[in-house]
Amino acid sequence: MNLPAVAIVGLGATEFSKNSGRSEMQLACEAAHAAVQDSGLTGSDIDGMATFSMDNNWEIEIHRQIGGQELRFFARTEFGGGGALGPFAHAVSAIQTGQCQAAIIYRAMNERSGLRFGSGEIMNMNTLNPDMIHFSHYFPTGFMTPAAWIAMCTRRYMHKYGATSEDFGRIAVSMRDFAASNPAAFFYQQPLTLEQHQQSKLIADPLRLFDCCQESDGAVAFVVTSLERARDLPNTPVEIASVRQCAVPASRQITPFYHADIAHFPEFDALSCDLFRRADTAPNELDFACLYDHFTPAILPQLEAFGFCAPGEAADFVKDGHISRGGKLPVNTNGGQLGEAYIHGLNGIAEVVRQMRGTSANQLERSDQALVTAGAGVPTGAAILRKQA
Amino acid sequence: MNLPQQVKVGDELPELPIPITARQIVAGAIASQDFEDVHHDKAAANQKGTPDIFMNILTTNGLVGRYLSDWAGPTVRIRRISLKLGAPNYPGDTMVMSGQVTAVQDNELEIAFKGKNGLGNHVTGTGYLTLEESA
Amino acid sequence: MNTALSDLEQAIEPLRKRYIGQRVGPYLAWNKVSRTQIWQWCAAMGDTHPEYLGGETAIAPPTMLQSWTFRDVHGDYAPGSTDQNTYEVLGKLDELGYFGSVAVSYDQQYLEYLHEGDHVHSFSTISDISALKNTALGTGCFVTELAEYFRQDKTLIGTATITYLKYQPNQTSTGAPPSSPRKIERIRPVENTDSQHYWQGLRDGKLLIQQCSDCDVSRHPPQPMCEACQSINWHTVESTRRGKIYSFTSIHHPEIPPFDSPNCIVLVDLDEGVRIAAQITGVKYDELKIGMPVRANIVEVQKGLSLPIFEVEQ
């Protein structure tokens, strides 16, 4: 089946901050409107909307305010940051099947000034919803922050391969190096040393403060449409060469404790081959990657799952500088969620678009093809994006 | 009684539960000459947005001093107490003091302490003690 | 900082210029250090340390430092004190709407202990007025005071650095005064028809593991259908509560009340072949190891809520 290609043509974002001073709806409207303006389309051209289940802004509210007319497609994806690429999968399918012509993908959150995921107050309520039934097996023990949940996987990775906290520190140092030269990053002009990382306080052993992404307010939005139409629009089209979601039988909502081996993220292992096959490319043909970095150790199994190095060798791959400035696979050139901001993965996808347009603050010489991933430790997704002439 | 040579980093101080009553709060406020109304007048406390009277910082400090010197024994000199307040101490609660030795140099000790009540940590901080040789 | 805060900042800047660094005093103690006042303090604090009241000359607990030169019950300073009010800046902040006031930190150095008969005086300096911040209580700034305490012979006997938060209390939509303080409890599990047996089992002192009645595969956490054979017939078996640590973490920050910190959590592979997440106690966080044999006790942690809590098996 030869499906029409779909591309990202518009990008919009608010500033990233610790206190936006405005509602999440306003953030969503601002980013979505900016994305539409950037794309060369108008609000009335937008007939599809896709976002995360965790987003608090209804599709129809944003669509109406950006000047939308008839909304013909709307869809949401579950599982927190694991849902970062689901909206792209939805929009691509909807455009390919003619359900809509141009869709906005958006995520807006006051995660720092509003409900902080790391505060232990996430979903502190007592109702018969699926979240609470699920989290009932963890919250009553105080096991209730993403850092603590992911720390369990990190511990097993260390046990299996001998990785150390310093290995995670080198990832933080690399991301903060990119952030230091990105004016949009929270840690702009604030690089980190390995020593500072090692001295930072324990959050959930073995995770230290600088292993953790930031808490952020902000919004990011994209406009996607067919590649054919994209060629008539002003921006360099960024083709969604392949996008895949994945869960496996032992997958759980950010409590990935029941896989036989939790040192890895089996969702990524399972989708990797198919992702490359559909994009007709291979790991060594990619120029860079934006990998989901809620916590530094999550980078390691991802480098292995996508074939950039063999299982157990990711710490050395990092140590050899391959993911850093000037390396063979620069990772998170915006500074990542550790260094730029935590907008549930969408700001990493935005960085891929900027790199392919030639407008990144840390512009690479070659940035034609990249991998992006959604949340780790949850049912998740990944995509390969490709610059089109 | 603790002798300096017997104390080592990591030693834990026994926990001390302190019942927080209106009587305790008012007695502490008056003994410390603190007549702010939020420490003895419930209606005034309500008006300022708190659900009840609450313990003043001097009483907290006094209780911390008692906790540290009770553990260290008669030859102790308290040289410094540095503390941060968190959840208020309201009547009806219990504050459990705990502590751990974090540094020992000659006869000087550093203790990290914590007073936890039903709302969270009321006080966290560091005490600096000298243990004098007994005469 | 957003624009709203920077506008408000402009009103505070003149206060910084006027008050920071101005040392005022002396403030005299109303009374000489006396056995009576020491006794009242020790009684209120429950402090029975023998040094204070045990000897012929009473010695003051050093933590009494700040109380010596406080105003009396009418708000008056002792005769001979300066007329200048070191807290005038707090009144100015009240006028700007930051009328909420709470002491947030305290740092006292005790250079000399005071004896019965000593007479204290003090000087006070506002050392800092912070930038406006959004805090849990409301928007406000931190005001830091440095107080120095002297004996009658002008010996510096101690210093106190006190930081107050002056804030505009957060508005609530109802405006109603808060009710009684709520003790923070563990979040209670939601019990539905799929999981009620598990929580009830714990209340009965048993750790129950679901087992498929058709293919005998055990499972945890509870779910209605066997993922191996799709049977909806199941029963429970009582766990021996023994197993080995599969992975572990200890939660240091943030401290989440009512839990102790660090709060040690383990994933345990139970002998029954399922994995379970639970707390572990009686072991230091840095002594936990993968593979350690553990056994759970069923503990009623809160009225009507019982949980398995592991300890290392000797």
Side-chain angles (χ1 to χ4, degrees):
Chain A
M1 188 165 46
N2 217 351
L3 293 168
V6 174
I8 299 169
V9 296
L11 167 62
T14 65
E15 82 290 357
F16 306 132
S17 72
K18 301 295 172 191
N19 186 356
S20 70
R22 48 209 199 275
S23 70
E24 292 185 336
M25 184 179 285
Q26 184 173 337
L27 295 176
C29 287
E30 288 179 20
H33 179 59
V36 172
Q37 288 196 309
D38 176 65
S39 71
L41 297 170
T42 64
S44 59
D45 293 320
I46 305 298
D47 57 356
M49 299 288 287
T51 186
F52 300 57
S53 305
M54 272 184 93
D55 196 277
N56 295 316
N57 306 291
W58 285 332
E59 296 86 329
I60 52 170
E61 301 294 321
I62 311 306
H63 186 250
R64 180 178 67 247
Q65 293 177 72
I66 56 119
Q69 297 301 311
E70 188 186 339
L71 183 61
R72 304 199 297 160
F73 177 82
F74 38 95
R76 289 190 168 228
T77 306
E78 271 289 356
F79 311 120
L85 286 158
F88 286 87
H90 288 144
V92 166
S93 311
I95 290 165
Q96 287 177 333
T97 55
Q99 294 182 72
C100 70
Q101 306 294 317
I104 288 177
I105 289 153
Y106 65 98
R107 177 79 175 105
M109 52 208 263
N110 281 332
E111 193 276 333
R112 177 61 182 80
S113 63
L115 177 66
R116 303 169 68 174
F117 300 166
S119 66
E121 286 169 10
I122 185 169
M123 289 174 285
N124 184 352
M125 53 186 170
N126 229 0
T127 58
L128 275 177
N129 71 28
D131 282 324
M132 275 312 299
I133 292 167
H134 173 79
F135 286 115
S136 285
H137 292 282
Y138 315 103
F139 285 5
T141 66
F143 189 28
M144 55 206 294
T145 61
W149 297 325
I150 295 303
M152 290 293 187
C153 304
T154 303
R155 176 68 61 193
R156 286 302 302 195
Y157 188 91
M158 295 167 87
H159 180 73
K160 186 167 181 180
Y161 297 121
T164 65
S165 174
E166 287 201 355
D167 291 324
F168 313 144
R170 278 185 269 275
I171 295 169
V173 168
S174 178
M175 308 269 158
R176 289 282 294 272
D177 173 54
F178 285 125
S181 51
N182 171 12
F186 180 76
F187 285 116
Y188 177 51
Q189 295 180 331
Q190 295 176 68
L192 180 80
T193 65
L194 189 55
E195 197 176 21
Q196 286 171 320
H197 172 275
Q198 287 297 292
Q199 284 168 359
S200 68
K201 66 184 171 191
L202 274 177
I203 299 296
D205 191 22
L207 300 179
R208 296 181 174 278
L209 178 65
F210 292 133
D211 289 314
C212 304
C213 70
Q214 305 167 68
E215 301 177 291
S216 314
D217 288 7
V220 175
F222 302 90
V223 174
V224 297
T225 191
S226 68
L227 179 59
E228 189 186 356
R229 193 174 185 188
R231 297 200 198 279
D232 298 329
L233 295 171
N235 291 316
T236 304
V238 173
E239 185 197 349
I240 302 165
S242 70
V243 57
R244 257 291 245 121
Q245 290 183 268
C246 186
V248 298
S251 291
R252 293 288 196 283
Q253 163 61 323
I254 194 150
T255 51
F257 311 138
Y258 306 99
H259 303 289
D261 178 3
I262 69 170
H264 300 266
F265 299 118
E267 297 86 357
F268 288 132
D269 296 329
L271 69 77
S272 171
C273 285
D274 189 41
L275 188 77
F276 284 110
R277 191 176 52 75
R278 281 169 192 266
D280 193 22
T281 187
N284 60 9
E285 290 176 14
L286 301 189
D287 301 313
F288 67 108
C290 283
L291 304 181
Y292 201 91
D293 58 335
H294 45 9
F295 303 102
T296 54
I299 294 289
L300 300 175
Q302 292 187 69
L303 290 169
E304 296 163 10
F306 291 100
F308 300 113
C309 59
E313 290 178 5
D316 286 338
F317 188 82
V318 170
K319 200 172 181 177
D320 293 342
H322 295 316
I323 71 163
S324 305
R325 200 183 289 270
K328 67 181 178 190
L329 185 82
V331 171
N332 299 355
T333 51
N334 58 338
Q337 305 195 90
L338 292 156
E340 186 184 52
Y342 169 70
I343 312 293
H344 248 163
L346 285 203
N347 52 316
I349 303 171
E351 174 64 6
V352 175
V353 173
R354 283 189 299 262
Q355 283 287 358
M356 292 185 180
R357 288 180 179 185
T359 59
S360 168
N362 294 306
Q363 187 60 45
L364 300 167
E365 254 175 62
R366 212 182 132 80
S367 55
D368 293 348
Q369 206 164 217
L371 168 71
V372 281
T373 60
V378 283
T380 187
I384 289 171
L385 305 184
R386 186 179 292 147
K387 177 175 165 180
Q388 285 291 337
Chain B
M1 181 177 102
N2 284 281
L3 296 171
Q5 57 268 30
Q6 295 171 339
V7 179
K8 59 184 189 308
V9 172
D11 282 359
E12 287 178 10
L13 281 61
E15 289 191 349
L16 173 70
I18 300 175
I20 308 301
T21 59
R23 185 200 313 234
Q24 170 71 73
I25 291 166
V26 173
I30 292 175
S32 58
Q33 303 293 297
D34 184 344
F35 301 103
E36 288 292 330
D37 52 17
V38 290
H39 306 310
H40 62 258
D41 181 344
K42 179 168 177 176
N46 282 161
Q47 216 161 24
K48 291 187 178 158
T50 65
D52 207 332
I53 62 167
F54 57 91
M55 183 176 284
N56 69 332
I57 195 166
L58 277 86
T59 302
T60 301
N61 201 47
L63 294 172
V64 167
R66 162 194 164 191
Y67 177 63
L68 296 177
S69 59
D70 272 0
W71 170 78
T75 66
V76 69
R77 275 283 179 281
I78 304 175
R79 290 181 290 117
R80 180 178 168 203
I81 293 175
S82 175
L83 62 82
K84 280 196 166 122
L85 285 191
N89 265 342
Y90 293 119
D93 209 336
T94 298
M95 173 169 73
V96 179
M97 298 297 308
S98 61
Q100 191 172 34
V101 178
T102 49
V104 183
Q105 187 157 34
D106 301 327
N107 59 341
E108 304 203 335
L109 308 180
E110 194 184 295
I111 315 283
F113 61 82
K114 179 157 93 174
K116 185 180 177 182
N117 64 27
L119 302 172
N121 282 336
H122 167 67
V123 61
T124 53
T126 310
Y128 302 83
L129 313 179
T130 303
L131 296 181
E132 316 245 315
E133 296 297 330
S134 49
Chain C
M1 186 189 302
N2 61 37
T3 40
L5 277 190
S6 62
D7 287 348
L8 296 171
E9 269 290 329
Q10 289 180 0
I12 293 182
E13 193 50 34
L15 299 183
R16 291 200 183 96
K17 289 210 171 73
R18 176 154 167 211
Y19 291 104
I20 291 179
Q22 202 181 110
R23 184 171 186 258
V24 295
Y27 297 102
L28 267 59
W30 276 96
N31 296 293
K32 291 181 177 174
V33 173
S34 70
R35 178 172 285 269
T36 313
Q37 225 168 324
I38 295 170
W39 171 82
Q40 190 183 12
W41 174 281
C42 289
M45 302 306 161
D47 197 329
T48 56
H49 201 268
E51 182 167 26
Y52 303 141
L53 293 163
E56 205 159 297
T57 306
I59 296 175
T63 47
M64 290 182 77
L65 184 68
Q66 210 192 352
S67 67
W68 295 113
T69 60
F70 266 171
R71 289 172 284 191
D72 71 2
V73 67
H74 306 293
D76 296 328
Y77 284 109
S81 300
T82 176
D83 292 337
Q84 278 180 288
N85 181 357
T86 190
Y87 298 121
E88 189 177 290
V89 61
L90 302 184
K92 297 287 178 195
L93 287 165
D94 287 347
E95 289 167 20
L96 290 174
Y98 307 102
F99 57 86
S101 186
V102 57
V104 293
S105 72
Y106 212 28
D107 191 339
Q108 298 197 339
Q109 301 220 43
Y110 311 115
L111 306 172
E112 303 261 351
Y113 277 27
L114 291 168
H115 294 69
E116 220 173 320
D118 284 337
H119 200 177
V120 180
H121 63 277
S122 66
F123 286 83
S124 163
T125 310
I126 299 297
S127 60
D128 188 45
I129 301 171
S130 78
L132 280 175
K133 295 193 169 123
N134 292 313
T135 74
L137 291 168
T139 299
C141 59
F142 294 95
V143 178
T144 303
E145 177 200 358
L146 169 67
E148 304 152 273
Y149 295 86
F150 299 88
R151 207 160 49 197
Q152 61 278 8
D153 61 3
K154 305 234 179 345
T155 308
L156 180 69
I157 52 114
T159 61
T161 304
I162 309 122
T163 301
Y164 305 91
L165 171 64
K166 290 293 293 173
Y167 64 99
Q168 187 159 32
N170 283 325
Q171 302 290 314
T172 57
S173 53
T174 61
S179 54
S180 63
R182 191 174 55 95
K183 185 173 161 65
I184 296 189
E185 295 205 311
R186 292 172 189 245
I187 293 177
R188 284 177 181 275
V190 171
E191 303 181 24
N192 73 349
T193 46
D194 295 332
S195 64
Q196 204 268 340
H197 70 275
Y198 176 74
W199 302 107
Q200 185 58 47
L202 290 171
R203 276 189 289 270
D204 297 339
K206 296 171 183 168
L207 177 59
L208 299 180
I209 304 298
Q210 234 183 349
Q211 191 174 47
C212 178
S213 299
D214 288 308
C215 75
D216 294 339
V217 169
S218 297
R219 59 191 196 241
H220 183 81
Q223 58 186 23
M225 182 175 280
C226 173
E227 62 193 53
C229 79
Q230 287 67 54
S231 167
I232 54 169
N233 301 315
W234 55 267
H235 58 275
T236 58
V237 291
E238 188 180 345
S239 168
T240 60
R241 311 195 299 274
R242 282 195 162 84
K244 286 194 165 64
I245 295 179
Y246 173 73
S247 192
F248 62 90
T249 185
S250 51
I251 300 162
H252 298 251
H253 191 85
E255 284 194 36
I256 303 172
F259 299 99
D260 290 331
S261 179
N263 181 13
C264 298
I265 308 285
V266 282
L267 299 182
V268 172
D269 281 338
L270 289 172
D271 289 353
E272 288 76 21
V274 298
R275 193 172 292 162
I276 187 170
Q279 288 174 282
I280 187 165
T281 58
V283 58
K284 289 194 172 149
Y285 78 91
D286 52 2
E287 290 170 356
L288 289 166
K289 285 192 174 54
I290 287 173
M292 269 182 166
V294 291
R295 185 170 196 277
N297 297 305
I298 310 294
V299 180
E300 185 175 35
V301 293
Q302 226 160 263
K303 197 169 164 39
L305 171 62
S306 295
L307 295 172
I309 296 184
F310 283 92
E311 54 188 30
V312 177
E313 196 158 35
Q314 298 307 325

